[in-house]
Amino acid sequence: MNSLPQAWDVFTAHPVVLLLMPVAGAFIGWITKVLAIWMVFKPLNFVGIGPIGWQGQLPRRAAKFASHAAEVILHDLLDARELVDRLDSKEIASQCDHLLVSSVDPIARELIGDRWDQLPGSVRYAIIARARARTPQVIDSLFDFAKANMDGLFDLTFIVTELLIDDKKILNKMVKNNIPMILNFMKVFGLIFGGVVGLIQLVVYCFTENTLIIPIFGLVVGFTSDWIALQMVFNPRKPTTYLGVFTWQGLFFKYRDEFIAGYARDIATDILTPKVIMNALMSGALADRLFAMLRGEIDDAIKAELGVAAPVVTAAIGTKRYNEVRDSVVTRAREMMPQAAEQLDGYVTSALDVDNTVVEAFKNLDDDEFEAMIRPVFKDDEWLVVWLGGALGFVVGELQVHMLTWLGGLH
């Protein structure tokens, strides 16, 4: 162990080389945070050979995180029935009016053939007008049925979970794009922490002249800086003053409002959109139930329009033909759904006001519920990320030893 004068002599003999130690420490602190962040989100799919490889923590646990996010959004925050109540059947009918009008001609021709074209224009206009007038009533009936059977027909939890599992880019975006202050802090913290530890390393080396301390300090920087940074992201939940001069609040809670605003915006833009919901309704058992219901509505509408003449008309064209025409109407409705969803996108987005609704609902979450939304992204496999950070720090420290002994003449 060198004395203070001897340690000073060591420093003055190699000042430039030794001052590279805090620089290298800062680099280790920074690069280990970059690695840790990358490992959370990338790659989207497993990359490796056999069981050896890596997939981003969030994409790998997409099912777990997505189901939890859907649970929070749709069970704790939003009531799907309340969202449906915000939709005005008359406005929806108005928005899709041209689609309805364009579908009447082909349906009528299927029903009565060329005789439809032989009808006076005033008669055809009257029939179309009756169909347009009836549309809001049909939509109201669909909404009433939907609200009464919401869990089976509009399983939004399933819809959201499936979407986030299938499109991991959206999942990454919802988290990564809304915590830039946290990710930037982790990098800056690693840089500063590594530089401070590098200064300590410089002093220790001057007293010991033992290059073994360099990779050891690298390991310490990589390991402890990752762990400390993660703790500082979530703790403490309330602003707390340390040593009477230093005040800190976990960044996730400090920037709670900013996170909520961005998170809500992504939900409204990428998840609870008319297109997403409509696409979900157009597949599988949900679509079967929806169009079975629509078929019943068509029957009721036809009977209501024809009144006592309904059995006569059915008999005139034949029950089989009548059923074929009714099913044709359902098929056309199915084909029109994507167009209707696109047409209604602006109105439904405005009427549901999902982003503001989510922002208001988030305010009701307590601290435990709020942290549970994002903590699993960093908590799962946290030990692995921390240890890999330490290993990377050790490797960089070992490379630093070789560079300093080769370039700087240290021993």
Side-chain angles (χ1 to χ4, degrees):
M1 178 70 71
N2 290 334
S3 63
L4 182 58
Q6 290 173 324
W8 178 252
D9 289 339
V10 172
F11 175 76
T12 55
H14 310 281
V16 176
V17 173
L18 292 176
L19 286 173
L20 288 176
M21 287 185 177
V23 175
F27 173 76
I28 292 172
W30 174 79
I31 196 63
T32 53
K33 301 308 154 296
V34 172
L35 173 67
I37 293 170
W38 183 88
M39 292 178 69
V40 169
F41 301 104
K42 298 288 186 177
L44 291 177
N45 299 302
F46 181 83
V47 175
I49 301 175
I52 302 174
W54 185 256
Q55 181 181 10
Q57 289 171 254
L58 184 56
R60 182 153 53 93
R61 285 178 167 76
K64 175 182 177 180
F65 185 86
S67 62
H68 177 73
E71 189 78 14
V72 170
I73 295 167
L74 298 169
H75 284 196
D76 300 337
L77 299 181
L78 299 181
D79 185 332
R81 292 172 180 82
E82 291 182 4
L83 293 179
V84 173
D85 280 337
R86 297 180 183 182
L87 300 176
D88 184 342
S89 58
K90 292 184 177 61
E91 181 63 28
I92 290 177
S94 174
Q95 293 276 338
C96 296
D97 185 67
H98 70 287
L99 293 176
L100 172 66
V101 172
S102 66
S103 67
V104 171
D105 273 356
I107 291 173
R109 288 191 184 92
E110 288 186 28
L111 182 62
I112 63 174
D114 293 339
R115 284 173 292 174
W116 170 253
D117 295 315
Q118 297 169 5
L119 290 174
S122 59
V123 174
R124 282 182 290 170
Y125 178 81
I127 293 172
I128 293 174
R130 288 174 66 84
R132 294 166 76 181
R134 173 70 180 165
T135 300
Q137 300 173 38
V138 174
I139 295 173
D140 276 335
S141 181
L142 293 177
F143 282 178
D144 289 341
F145 184 92
K147 285 184 284 188
N149 299 272
M150 187 67 69
D151 293 337
L153 186 60
F154 289 93
D155 189 354
L156 291 181
T157 301
F158 171 79
I159 295 170
V160 171
T161 301
E162 185 177 48
L163 171 67
L164 293 178
I165 291 174
D166 290 342
D167 194 338
K168 297 180 178 64
K169 289 183 179 179
I170 293 179
L171 189 62
N172 272 355
K173 174 187 173 184
M174 286 181 63
V175 177
K176 186 176 183 180
N177 287 10
N178 294 315
I179 55 171
M181 69 295 292
I182 293 176
L183 302 181
N184 290 334
F185 160 77
M186 293 180 69
K187 296 174 187 176
V188 172
F189 174 81
L191 193 74
I192 296 173
F193 183 86
V196 171
V197 174
L199 283 173
I200 298 173
Q201 172 187 296
L202 184 158
V203 173
V204 172
Y205 176 81
C206 288
F207 278 96
T208 63
E209 295 188 74
N210 187 347
T211 55
L212 180 61
I213 68 165
I214 297 176
I216 292 176
F217 269 83
L219 185 149
V220 170
V221 170
F223 184 91
T224 60
S225 62
D226 276 356
W227 185 84
I228 294 173
L230 286 173
Q231 304 314 306
M232 294 179 73
V233 165
F234 294 99
N235 296 298
R237 292 177 174 179
K238 304 297 181 184
T240 303
T241 300
Y242 297 92
L243 303 176
V245 294
F246 177 65
T247 301
W248 186 258
Q249 179 183 14
L251 295 180
F252 190 55
F253 293 93
K254 181 178 180 179
Y255 295 103
R256 176 173 178 151
D257 291 344
E258 288 85 342
F259 174 80
I260 289 175
Y263 201 76
R265 183 175 57 251
D266 288 338
I267 291 172
T269 302
D270 298 319
I271 299 179
L272 294 182
T273 65
K275 182 178 180 180
V276 168
I277 295 174
M278 198 71 76
N279 286 343
L281 290 173
M282 293 295 293
S283 61
L286 295 177
D288 294 339
R289 290 197 61 184
L290 174 65
F291 288 104
M293 177 183 66
L294 183 58
R295 188 175 290 109
E297 279 296 326
I298 292 169
D299 274 336
D300 292 343
I302 291 175
K303 290 174 182 177
E305 294 300 319
L306 297 178
V308 295
V312 177
V313 173
T314 304
I317 66 175
T319 301
K320 180 180 178 181
R321 177 59 180 160
Y322 172 84
N323 289 335
E324 288 175 352
V325 172
R326 182 194 60 186
D327 291 341
S328 175
V329 175
V330 175
T331 299
R332 288 186 180 278
R334 186 188 293 267
E335 292 171 349
M336 287 167 57
M337 283 293 186
Q339 290 177 271
E342 184 176 349
Q343 183 70 32
L344 290 170
D345 188 82
Y347 164 69
V348 174
T349 299
S350 175
L352 296 185
D353 195 20
V354 172
D355 49 352
N356 288 323
T357 301
V358 172
V359 169
E360 289 301 314
F362 263 101
K363 294 178 181 178
N364 297 323
L365 293 179
D366 61 32
D367 287 344
D368 289 334
E369 292 170 328
F370 182 63
E371 182 173 339
M373 292 181 56
I374 197 72
R375 181 75 187 197
V377 175
F378 295 95
K379 189 67 176 176
D380 292 347
D381 293 331
E382 178 182 335
W383 64 272
L384 180 58
V385 174
V386 169
W387 276 106
L388 284 175
L392 178 61
F394 183 86
V395 170
V396 174
E398 189 64 33
L399 292 174
Q400 183 185 0
V401 170
H402 291 289
M403 290 183 64
L404 294 178
T405 54
W406 176 51
L407 296 175
L410 300 184
H411 55 276

